[in-house]
Short mmCIF file of all heavy atoms in Angstrom, two decimals:
data_model
loop_
_atom_site.label_atom_id
_atom_site.label_comp_id
_atom_site.label_asym_id
_atom_site.label_seq_id
_atom_site.Cartn_x
_atom_site.Cartn_y
_atom_site.Cartn_z
N VAL U 68 69.80 76.82 115.25
CA VAL U 68 70.71 75.70 115.53
C VAL U 68 71.33 75.83 116.94
O VAL U 68 71.64 74.83 117.58
CB VAL U 68 71.78 75.61 114.44
CG1 VAL U 68 72.80 74.54 114.73
CG2 VAL U 68 71.16 75.37 113.07
N GLY U 69 71.53 77.08 117.41
CA GLY U 69 72.12 77.25 118.71
C GLY U 69 73.55 77.77 118.69
O GLY U 69 74.10 78.08 119.71
N HIS U 70 74.14 77.78 117.51
CA HIS U 70 75.53 78.28 117.39
C HIS U 70 75.75 78.72 115.93
O HIS U 70 75.00 78.35 115.04
CB HIS U 70 76.53 77.18 117.79
CG HIS U 70 76.37 75.94 117.01
ND1 HIS U 70 76.93 75.76 115.77
CD2 HIS U 70 75.68 74.79 117.27
CE1 HIS U 70 76.59 74.54 115.28
NE2 HIS U 70 75.85 73.94 116.18
N TYR U 71 76.78 79.52 115.77
CA TYR U 71 77.13 79.89 114.40
C TYR U 71 77.88 78.72 113.72
O TYR U 71 78.45 77.87 114.38
CB TYR U 71 78.08 81.13 114.41
CG TYR U 71 77.37 82.40 114.81
CD1 TYR U 71 77.57 83.01 116.03
CD2 TYR U 71 76.46 83.00 113.90
CE1 TYR U 71 76.92 84.17 116.38
CE2 TYR U 71 75.81 84.18 114.26
CZ TYR U 71 76.04 84.74 115.48
OH TYR U 71 75.37 85.88 115.81
N PRO U 72 77.86 78.69 112.41
CA PRO U 72 78.57 77.59 111.70
C PRO U 72 80.06 77.70 111.85
O PRO U 72 80.60 78.78 112.00
CB PRO U 72 78.15 77.74 110.26
CG PRO U 72 77.67 79.14 110.12
CD PRO U 72 77.15 79.55 111.45
N ALA U 73 80.71 76.56 111.86
CA ALA U 73 82.15 76.54 111.95
C ALA U 73 82.77 77.09 110.68
O ALA U 73 82.14 77.06 109.62
CB ALA U 73 82.65 75.08 112.14
N THR U 74 83.98 77.56 110.79
CA THR U 74 84.69 78.13 109.63
C THR U 74 84.76 77.16 108.49
O THR U 74 84.59 77.52 107.32
CB THR U 74 86.10 78.57 110.03
OG1 THR U 74 86.02 79.52 111.09
CG2 THR U 74 86.88 79.19 108.88
N GLU U 75 84.99 75.86 108.81
CA GLU U 75 85.12 74.85 107.80
C GLU U 75 83.81 74.69 106.96
O GLU U 75 83.83 74.38 105.77
CB GLU U 75 85.52 73.48 108.40
CG GLU U 75 86.83 73.49 109.10
CD GLU U 75 86.74 74.16 110.50
OE1 GLU U 75 85.70 73.98 111.20
OE2 GLU U 75 87.72 74.81 110.88
N LEU U 76 82.68 74.82 107.63
CA LEU U 76 81.38 74.73 106.94
C LEU U 76 81.13 75.93 106.09
O LEU U 76 80.48 75.82 105.03
CB LEU U 76 80.27 74.54 107.93
CG LEU U 76 80.24 73.22 108.73
CD1 LEU U 76 79.16 73.28 109.78
CD2 LEU U 76 80.10 72.04 107.82
N GLY U 77 81.63 77.06 106.52
CA GLY U 77 81.47 78.29 105.76
C GLY U 77 80.08 78.81 105.62
O GLY U 77 79.17 78.40 106.37
N LEU U 78 79.84 79.66 104.64
CA LEU U 78 78.53 80.27 104.46
C LEU U 78 77.57 79.39 103.64
O LEU U 78 76.38 79.67 103.56
CB LEU U 78 78.70 81.59 103.72
CG LEU U 78 79.52 82.64 104.46
CD1 LEU U 78 79.80 83.89 103.58
CD2 LEU U 78 78.80 83.06 105.74
N GLN U 79 78.04 78.27 103.14
CA GLN U 79 77.21 77.33 102.40
C GLN U 79 76.07 76.77 103.24
O GLN U 79 75.03 76.39 102.74
CB GLN U 79 78.04 76.20 101.80
CG GLN U 79 78.96 76.63 100.68
CD GLN U 79 78.22 77.42 99.59
OE1 GLN U 79 78.46 78.58 99.41
NE2 GLN U 79 77.33 76.77 98.87
N VAL U 80 76.26 76.74 104.58
CA VAL U 80 75.23 76.24 105.45
C VAL U 80 74.00 77.09 105.47
O VAL U 80 72.95 76.69 105.96
CB VAL U 80 75.74 76.03 106.92
CG1 VAL U 80 76.89 75.05 106.95
CG2 VAL U 80 76.13 77.34 107.54
N LEU U 81 74.10 78.27 104.91
CA LEU U 81 72.93 79.15 104.83
C LEU U 81 71.96 78.72 103.75
O LEU U 81 70.84 79.12 103.74
CB LEU U 81 73.38 80.60 104.61
CG LEU U 81 74.26 81.21 105.69
CD1 LEU U 81 74.76 82.59 105.32
CD2 LEU U 81 73.56 81.23 107.04
N THR U 82 72.43 77.89 102.80
CA THR U 82 71.59 77.44 101.71
C THR U 82 71.47 75.91 101.67
O THR U 82 70.55 75.41 101.07
CB THR U 82 72.14 77.95 100.36
OG1 THR U 82 73.48 77.50 100.18
CG2 THR U 82 72.07 79.43 100.27
N GLU U 83 72.43 75.20 102.28
CA GLU U 83 72.39 73.74 102.22
C GLU U 83 72.48 73.18 103.62
O GLU U 83 73.31 73.59 104.42
CB GLU U 83 73.61 73.24 101.41
CG GLU U 83 73.62 73.69 99.97
CD GLU U 83 74.96 73.37 99.30
OE1 GLU U 83 75.77 72.63 99.85
OE2 GLU U 83 75.16 73.91 98.20
N ARG U 84 71.66 72.17 103.95
CA ARG U 84 71.65 71.59 105.27
C ARG U 84 72.99 70.87 105.52
O ARG U 84 73.43 70.01 104.76
CB ARG U 84 70.54 70.55 105.39
CG ARG U 84 70.53 69.84 106.73
CD ARG U 84 69.47 68.73 106.79
NE ARG U 84 68.15 69.26 106.71
CZ ARG U 84 67.41 69.66 107.79
NH1 ARG U 84 67.96 69.62 108.99
NH2 ARG U 84 66.19 70.08 107.63
N PRO U 85 73.65 71.25 106.66
CA PRO U 85 74.88 70.52 107.01
C PRO U 85 74.52 69.19 107.66
O PRO U 85 73.47 69.04 108.26
CB PRO U 85 75.57 71.46 108.01
CG PRO U 85 74.46 72.26 108.57
CD PRO U 85 73.39 72.35 107.50
N THR U 86 75.40 68.23 107.55
CA THR U 86 75.14 66.93 108.16
C THR U 86 75.24 67.06 109.66
O THR U 86 76.06 67.77 110.21
CB THR U 86 76.16 65.88 107.66
OG1 THR U 86 77.46 66.35 107.94
CG2 THR U 86 76.00 65.61 106.20
N GLY U 87 74.32 66.42 110.36
CA GLY U 87 74.36 66.40 111.82
C GLY U 87 73.67 67.59 112.46
O GLY U 87 73.79 67.76 113.68
N GLU U 88 73.00 68.42 111.72
CA GLU U 88 72.28 69.59 112.33
C GLU U 88 70.77 69.38 112.18
O GLU U 88 70.17 69.72 111.19
CB GLU U 88 72.68 70.90 111.64
CG GLU U 88 74.07 71.37 111.98
CD GLU U 88 74.28 71.74 113.42
OE1 GLU U 88 73.32 71.81 114.19
OE2 GLU U 88 75.45 71.97 113.80
N ALA U 89 70.15 68.75 113.22
CA ALA U 89 68.73 68.41 113.14
C ALA U 89 67.84 69.64 113.24
O ALA U 89 66.73 69.65 112.73
CB ALA U 89 68.41 67.47 114.29
N LYS U 90 68.34 70.71 113.87
CA LYS U 90 67.50 71.90 114.09
C LYS U 90 67.60 72.88 112.93
O LYS U 90 66.98 73.93 112.98
CB LYS U 90 67.90 72.58 115.37
CG LYS U 90 67.63 71.80 116.60
CD LYS U 90 68.06 72.56 117.82
CE LYS U 90 67.84 71.76 119.09
NZ LYS U 90 68.27 72.50 120.27
N TRP U 91 68.35 72.56 111.92
CA TRP U 91 68.52 73.46 110.74
C TRP U 91 67.15 73.69 110.08
O TRP U 91 66.48 72.71 109.76
CB TRP U 91 69.50 72.85 109.77
CG TRP U 91 69.91 73.75 108.64
CD1 TRP U 91 70.92 74.63 108.63
CD2 TRP U 91 69.38 73.80 107.33
NE1 TRP U 91 71.03 75.25 107.45
CE2 TRP U 91 70.08 74.76 106.59
CE3 TRP U 91 68.33 73.13 106.68
CZ2 TRP U 91 69.84 75.07 105.27
CZ3 TRP U 91 68.09 73.42 105.33
CH2 TRP U 91 68.83 74.39 104.66
N SER U 92 66.75 74.92 109.91
CA SER U 92 65.42 75.21 109.30
C SER U 92 65.56 76.08 108.08
O SER U 92 64.68 76.90 107.78
CB SER U 92 64.54 75.94 110.32
OG SER U 92 64.31 75.12 111.42
N GLY U 93 66.66 75.95 107.38
CA GLY U 93 66.91 76.80 106.19
C GLY U 93 66.13 76.36 104.98
O GLY U 93 65.26 75.54 105.07
N PRO U 94 66.42 76.93 103.85
CA PRO U 94 67.59 77.80 103.63
C PRO U 94 67.33 79.20 104.17
O PRO U 94 66.21 79.66 104.25
CB PRO U 94 67.73 77.83 102.10
CG PRO U 94 66.37 77.47 101.59
CD PRO U 94 65.71 76.60 102.62
N TYR U 95 68.43 79.85 104.58
CA TYR U 95 68.37 81.15 105.22
C TYR U 95 68.61 82.28 104.17
O TYR U 95 68.46 83.45 104.52
CB TYR U 95 69.40 81.25 106.32
CG TYR U 95 69.11 80.23 107.39
CD1 TYR U 95 69.78 79.01 107.42
CD2 TYR U 95 68.10 80.45 108.34
CE1 TYR U 95 69.49 78.05 108.41
CE2 TYR U 95 67.83 79.52 109.31
CZ TYR U 95 68.51 78.30 109.31
OH TYR U 95 68.22 77.37 110.25
N LEU U 96 68.95 81.88 102.96
CA LEU U 96 69.05 82.83 101.83
C LEU U 96 68.18 82.33 100.73
O LEU U 96 68.08 81.13 100.50
CB LEU U 96 70.51 82.93 101.36
CG LEU U 96 71.55 83.49 102.31
CD1 LEU U 96 72.95 83.36 101.72
CD2 LEU U 96 71.26 84.96 102.62
N LYS U 97 67.56 83.25 99.98
CA LYS U 97 66.66 82.83 98.89
C LYS U 97 67.49 82.29 97.72
O LYS U 97 67.00 81.44 96.99
CB LYS U 97 65.85 84.01 98.41
CG LYS U 97 64.81 84.45 99.37
CD LYS U 97 64.00 85.60 98.88
CE LYS U 97 62.93 86.03 99.91
NZ LYS U 97 62.11 87.14 99.43
N LYS U 98 68.68 82.78 97.54
CA LYS U 98 69.55 82.35 96.47
C LYS U 98 70.84 81.83 97.03
O LYS U 98 71.03 81.81 98.24
CB LYS U 98 69.86 83.51 95.50
CG LYS U 98 68.61 84.07 94.82
CD LYS U 98 68.96 85.20 93.92
CE LYS U 98 67.71 85.78 93.27
NZ LYS U 98 68.02 86.93 92.44
N SER U 99 71.75 81.40 96.19
CA SER U 99 73.04 80.90 96.69
C SER U 99 73.83 82.07 97.31
O SER U 99 73.52 83.23 97.08
CB SER U 99 73.84 80.27 95.54
OG SER U 99 74.13 81.25 94.56
#
Side-chain angles (χ1 to χ4, degrees):
V68 176
H70 57 84
Y71 288 108
T74 302
E75 298 78 36
L76 294 175
L78 298 172
Q79 291 307 113
V80 299
L81 299 175
T82 57
E83 300 170 10
R84 178 186 293 273
T86 56
E88 289 294 350
K90 295 180 182 178
W91 188 87
S92 298
Y95 299 97
L96 295 173
K97 291 182 180 179
K98 298 179 181 177
S99 63

